[in-house]
Amino acid sequence: MFSGIRKFKTMRALRIIPVLAALAPLRATELNGQERGFLLHTPQITVVVRGGYSVPRLGGGGDTQSLWDFTKEYLTVGNRDFAGSHIMAELGIRGSERIDLVFAVGHSPISVLSEFRGFEDEDGLPVTQTTDFTTTPLTAGIKAYLKPRGRAIGSHVWVPRTFNPFAGIAGGIVWYRFEQWGEWVDHETFEIFREDFRSAERAPTLHLFTGMDIGISRRLILTGEARYGFAKGPFEVRDNGYSDFVGFPKLDLSGLKASFGVGLRI
């Protein structure tokens, strides 16, 4: 029994020796400041969750009136009214010391109350409606770190940096839902009626992003990112060939998203 215990302790000690040997050349100051703590392997996966703010561009249609142009002209809304919350989850797979392959999914739900400009109903009350605009992008891309994220000491120890700025590019698909419901004014008869107009479709998207990872422990990081997405989506055409939005160019889905969150190195 006692020989078994001694054998177990001996094997455990033998496993620790390579780690101690790798750490021996390090000075104490090398494990502080920019390089605090160490891991017994190089992290291969990073999982990140962020929350923040979405600011859609609401671009016009140039010579042709866009749906955003129409909405801002006839309803009491502006660009700032469509800014709102944004959430995002990201999976990063290590490709090299400075490159990760990243997969991300986001969601930005926005709901805006408005009134029809210059009109009231027969009781002198405003003609009111609601606009719901939701985007959900799914992307894959490359994240490039501007400096090495850490350094290996021998084959057993990896020392992470504290500050890691990055930039990247990603592409994928964005799903959107645009819905306007409530009261409306017929411009020919000036009759007030109730209606629900909606479109739910998808479109290709391109994202450019930059940000910073800040290590607060060996595995846990704080992370911030600014991301701009480019996309224009078609309007939904139903099985009967009918669309709620006719005569408008593709809907501008582009915009800026700023988010902050936490990540875990695995």
Side-chain angles (χ1 to χ4, degrees):
M1 175 179 177
F2 291 104
S3 62
I5 294 174
R6 285 196 296 271
K7 182 178 180 181
F8 174 77
K9 290 183 177 180
T10 301
M11 294 299 293
R12 188 176 180 183
L14 289 175
R15 292 177 183 176
I16 294 175
I17 287 174
V19 177
L20 295 177
L23 290 176
L26 289 175
R27 298 188 303 272
T29 55
E30 290 181 301
L31 294 177
N32 295 320
Q34 280 285 318
E35 299 173 333
R36 293 196 303 269
F38 62 89
L39 292 168
L40 298 184
H41 70 282
T42 302
Q44 300 300 310
I45 295 175
T46 303
V47 179
V48 171
V49 177
R50 298 188 183 95
Y53 204 57
S54 172
V55 184
R57 182 172 64 178
L58 311 186
D63 295 334
T64 303
Q65 185 185 52
S66 73
L67 181 55
W68 291 122
D69 292 333
F70 175 90
T71 298
K72 290 183 286 185
E73 179 179 353
Y74 290 103
L75 307 184
T76 56
V77 296
N79 285 34
R80 292 183 180 181
D81 296 306
F82 286 93
S85 62
H86 170 70
I87 58 174
M88 178 180 177
E90 179 182 283
L91 174 68
I93 301 175
R94 186 183 182 90
S96 68
E97 183 56 52
R98 296 196 185 192
I99 300 293
D100 272 3
L101 178 62
V102 290
F103 302 89
V105 60
H107 186 65
S108 302
I110 298 169
S111 185
V112 180
L113 302 177
S114 61
E115 301 175 6
F116 213 96
R117 295 184 190 273
F119 285 90
E120 296 177 345
D121 66 13
E122 58 186 11
D123 297 321
L125 298 176
V127 179
T128 61
Q129 56 287 133
T130 301
T131 301
D132 292 335
F133 177 55
T134 301
T135 56
T136 304
L138 177 65
T139 61
I142 294 176
K143 176 188 288 187
Y145 287 88
L146 305 187
K147 296 182 179 181
R149 285 173 281 177
R151 60 194 183 104
I153 308 299
S155 58
H156 298 279
V157 176
W158 186 78
V159 183
R161 290 179 56 87
T162 300
F163 299 99
N164 293 289
F166 61 81
I169 185 171
I173 297 175
V174 56
W175 286 266
Y176 83 87
R177 180 179 178 85
F178 184 95
E179 183 172 10
Q180 293 181 319
W181 50 275
E183 299 174 320
W184 304 92
V185 177
D186 187 314
H187 285 281
E188 294 183 358
T189 65
F190 300 108
E191 178 186 357
I192 297 175
F193 63 97
R194 296 190 64 85
E195 190 57 85
D196 183 350
F197 302 102
R198 62 185 182 276
S199 176
E201 263 291 355
R202 63 183 182 272
T205 184
L206 175 68
H207 288 199
L208 302 177
F209 58 90
T210 185
M212 172 82 75
D213 290 345
I214 303 175
I216 57 177
S217 72
R218 292 176 298 174
R219 295 189 180 276
L220 194 64
I221 61 174
L222 295 178
T223 177
E225 180 188 272
R227 174 180 293 243
Y228 199 94
F230 300 87
K232 289 187 176 182
F235 290 105
E236 178 183 8
V237 178
R238 299 187 178 87
D239 294 338
N240 59 6
Y242 179 77
S243 174
D244 284 353
F245 301 101
V246 179
F248 296 113
K250 288 184 176 181
L251 186 66
D252 184 18
L253 308 175
S254 303
L256 175 67
K257 294 173 174 57
S259 58
F260 300 89
V262 295
L264 181 67
R265 300 184 183 112
I266 302 174

